[in-house]
Amino acid sequence: RMDPPPPRKRVCADPNPGWTAAPWAGVPHPNLSAGSGPASRATATPPPPPRFGASEDADVRDRSTADASTSERAVAAALEPVAWDAYFDEKLDVRGESDADVFRVYARRGGERVGRRSDRLHDATATETDASRSAAGEKRTETVVLFAHGCAYTALSWATTIANLATRLDSSVVLAAFDARHHGATRVSPREKINDGVDDETSGDDVDVSAERLARDVASVARAVVGHFSRSQTGTKENGSMDSEGRNRNRPPKLVLVGHSMGGAAVARAAATIGDDTNSATRDFDLRGVVVVDVVEGSAMAALRDAEASLARRPSSFATPTDAVAWFVRSGLTTNLESARVSAPSQIVLSNDRFVWIADALQTAPHWRGWFQGLSRLFLSLKCAKLLMLADTDRLDTELTIAQMQGKFQTVLVPNATHAVHEDQPSL
């Protein structure tokens, strides 16, 4: 991948000595204890087969064979792919700026899940009323948190993180992640297809994943998602301007944008554009914060030199999705087996009896530099609350280091994590 190289592991008594409540009031200090949360339970590997002495007794050999078979089945079960609905309440398709661009979104509300919902694909134009939400025990949508993934990842790379966050929130908060163009289940105009599992003569020159294009996608998806989950909430003279909980129906929902790597650059640029809209009367949402995960201009630009060689070393295809899951963990792309089981299968598609990558990351190479150039200054210029999550302090460039010392944004360092910070440590 083109992303910064994995961080060196460090031993530190407190990786976040300067953690304060402002401007992220209510955000808990990261839980750095190992072995807690659903991730630790899912990543547990099956026990090794029992050891035997020198006896050649037939019964011992039979038991050894049976135990080996049981162990193999346990390993296969541990690597079995997990579907999206193990983590999300619904999936929906929303349109971007062009009707030909349809973005796949996975969403769930805060709070504990009562049970899995229907596996059907929701119509984003369907009306969701206050009454239907109340009947389901859901509060009026007050906040939407939209997650954008990195290059070659998908929305489901956020699955375990969103599941952990949801348990700390109530149902007034919607957590949603979307597949970027040319990734996952998102569909773009035929002129821009990369890999839909069939032969395609499309040239990489036709693929527009420029920084500006991705930022516009974030903004358009944000409006669509907010609109879907807040539809029918606006007050009228007939039903009054206050909801049953005493909140102003006319107040737009709050929006927080979260992005990893390529997605981090995209949400920062989208936030800059959204922030230019100062007319509160026409805004679809109130942008409150931006979270950028493990992408810094200086280290990202330096890593581009080795990005193509790194991508060339990854397998071009897999025999089964289970093989992809195993490779994700074995290669260190993520250290969290639970996340790999839901994330890896969403990044591949069956083609000619093999599973190949949906996103051809090398075709996006002409845009890599544009994603990160000027990112530090842009991030610092945002007028909303800003949070930067990093795997290592070496990621900070000079401009960000100075700004961080001046308290211009919040920083969280995540130990024992690779570049896929949110997958490795989803409970933070």
Side-chain angles (χ1 to χ4, degrees):
R1 296 176 188 272
M2 71 299 298
D3 299 319
R8 298 189 302 271
K9 290 187 177 180
R10 293 184 171 186
V11 177
C12 180
D14 183 356
N16 302 300
W19 181 269
T20 60
W24 295 91
V27 177
H29 188 289
N31 175 16
L32 303 180
S33 61
S36 62
S40 63
R41 294 191 297 272
T43 55
T45 55
R51 298 179 181 178
F52 297 101
S55 171
E56 294 295 326
D57 184 86
D59 290 339
V60 174
R61 290 198 303 271
D62 290 343
R63 286 198 303 272
S64 177
T65 301
D67 289 337
S69 177
T70 300
S71 180
E72 289 173 1
R73 288 196 298 270
V75 170
L79 297 173
E80 187 70 21
V82 177
W84 67 271
D85 60 351
Y87 297 92
F88 294 94
D89 293 336
E90 63 181 291
K91 60 181 177 181
L92 58 146
D93 285 343
V94 302
R95 298 195 182 279
E97 290 183 341
S98 167
D99 286 343
D101 297 338
V102 181
F103 294 86
R104 173 60 54 83
V105 178
Y106 301 90
R108 69 169 290 173
R109 288 184 177 273
E112 295 291 344
R113 300 178 72 191
V114 177
R116 295 188 184 183
R117 297 190 179 180
S118 171
D119 191 30
R120 72 182 179 88
L121 180 65
H122 285 241
D123 180 0
T125 63
T127 300
E128 183 184 40
T129 65
D130 283 340
S132 65
R133 279 190 303 274
S134 297
E138 295 174 351
K139 296 183 178 180
R140 176 181 180 274
T141 301
E142 289 289 320
T143 305
V144 173
V145 186
L146 184 65
F147 297 78
H149 60 78
C151 182
Y153 291 85
T154 70
L156 295 184
S157 67
W158 288 106
T160 52
T161 297
I162 287 176
N164 276 278
L165 283 174
T167 62
R168 312 178 197 179
L169 305 168
D170 62 34
S171 61
S172 69
V173 181
V174 172
L175 305 168
F178 75 99
D179 289 338
R181 60 179 54 238
H182 309 305
H183 293 72
T186 284
R187 305 186 302 275
V188 296
S189 58
R191 183 180 63 82
E192 291 193 30
K193 285 184 179 178
I194 289 186
N195 190 351
D196 60 358
V198 298
D199 292 336
D200 195 329
E201 298 179 356
T202 303
S203 165
D205 295 337
D206 292 327
V207 176
D208 182 7
V209 287
S210 64
E212 293 74 17
R213 174 72 270 174
L214 294 178
R216 294 203 306 272
D217 288 343
V218 170
S220 61
V221 171
R223 292 188 179 93
V225 171
V226 169
H228 175 69
F229 286 101
S230 61
R231 190 174 287 112
S232 299
Q233 293 182 172
T234 301
T236 64
K237 291 181 179 179
E238 290 75 21
N239 62 21
S241 62
M242 307 299 288
D243 65 13
S244 60
E245 298 175 348
R247 297 189 181 95
N248 186 350
R249 294 177 186 270
N250 296 314
R251 184 180 61 191
K254 297 183 285 290
L255 175 70
V256 176
L257 297 175
V258 184
H260 169 240
S261 197
M262 175 191 79
V267 300
R269 285 188 166 81
T273 302
I274 294 169
D276 290 339
D277 179 10
T278 57
N279 187 353
S280 60
T282 60
R283 281 194 307 221
D284 298 305
F285 43 72
D286 180 10
L287 180 64
R288 290 299 185 92
V290 171
V291 181
V292 172
V293 180
D294 212 49
V295 57
V296 169
E297 179 180 352
S299 57
M301 297 292 283
L304 294 181
R305 293 189 298 268
D306 302 319
E308 292 193 32
S310 176
L311 286 171
R313 290 193 293 269
R314 71 176 185 172
S316 59
S317 65
F318 302 94
T320 66
T322 298
D323 290 340
V325 172
W327 179 80
F328 266 59
V329 177
R330 187 171 60 249
S331 67
L333 201 59
T334 177
T335 60
N336 184 356
L337 177 57
E338 179 188 9
S339 185
R341 292 174 66 190
V342 64
S343 176
S346 68
Q347 300 178 36
I348 55 178
V349 64
L350 184 61
S351 176
N352 298 325
D353 298 324
R354 297 284 295 182
F355 287 86
V356 301
W357 300 103
I358 293 175
D360 186 343
L362 284 174
Q363 284 194 345
T364 68
H367 301 286
W368 292 350
R369 191 166 295 275
W371 292 344
F372 308 117
Q373 277 183 332
L375 180 59
S376 293
R377 184 164 300 178
L378 179 71
F379 177 71
L380 294 174
S381 71
L382 299 178
K383 296 179 175 59
C384 60
K386 300 177 285 291
L387 176 65
L388 180 61
M389 296 186 68
L390 300 172
D392 197 289
T393 52
D394 286 351
R395 306 283 204 216
L396 285 175
D397 55 26
T398 302
E399 189 169 10
L400 286 179
T401 299
I402 295 173
Q404 196 271 340
M405 294 175 66
Q406 295 172 339
K408 293 185 177 180
F409 65 94
Q410 192 74 43
T411 305
V412 174
L413 301 182
V414 184
N416 304 318
T418 66
H419 177 51
V421 174
H422 57 300
E423 292 200 61
D424 294 343
Q425 299 288 347
S427 61
L428 294 181

